[in-house]
Amino acid sequence: MTKILTGGVGKVEVANTIKELGLDGVEVTVSSDMDAAMKLRAGQADYFLGTCHTGAGASLGVLVGLMGQPACHTFGRGVPTAEEVDSLLADGKKVFGFSMDQIDRIAPLIARAIADRS
């Protein structure tokens, strides 16, 4: 079971969006940023999706500090392609940030890519 944690101002919306996809082998849980960082570091969770109003900073601030920049990537207000998400996952990124107004486009894209890797 692949565990995805959600955080930030849109954490409930991201979790609900992923749950609605009904992906096999993916469990999604609403979390706080600090709890997510601790669970990722302990191997109790696999990925984190964070949101803020711009996707530029607050979506990942705590996670970048505790997980390190190499594990993190923010899309800001942009929408990546499926190939970009696959490449980031292949590079070992586990923490993703994006803006709240892109939840309906980015959360399914990342969740499906994660499910395909499981």
Side-chain angles (χ1 to χ4, degrees):
M1 180 67 69
T2 300
K3 296 181 181 179
I4 300 172
L5 302 176
T6 66
V9 292
K11 59 188 171 188
V12 173
E13 293 87 350
V14 172
N16 289 340
T17 298
I18 294 172
K19 286 176 184 175
E20 289 173 6
L21 299 173
L23 299 170
D24 289 333
V26 173
E27 176 184 309
V28 62
T29 303
V30 174
S31 178
S32 70
D33 293 1
M34 185 62 79
D35 190 47
M38 295 300 108
K39 287 183 176 177
L40 287 165
R41 290 175 65 147
Q44 297 171 351
D46 302 293
Y47 298 96
F48 175 82
L49 304 183
T51 53
C52 69
H53 293 285
T54 65
S59 63
L60 299 182
V62 170
L63 280 295
V64 170
L66 296 175
M67 297 292 296
Q69 185 65 47
C72 304
H73 180 83
T74 183
F75 298 107
R77 298 199 73 220
V79 177
T81 65
E83 291 77 20
E84 287 174 289
V85 173
D86 287 340
S87 176
L88 291 165
L89 290 170
D91 287 345
K93 302 290 186 191
K94 295 186 172 292
V95 176
F96 296 94
F98 48 94
S99 65
M100 286 185 56
D101 62 346
Q102 302 297 344
I103 289 172
D104 62 331
R105 298 173 70 189
I106 296 178
L109 189 64
I110 297 173
R112 286 187 178 112
I114 289 170
D116 288 347
R117 296 178 64 84
S118 302

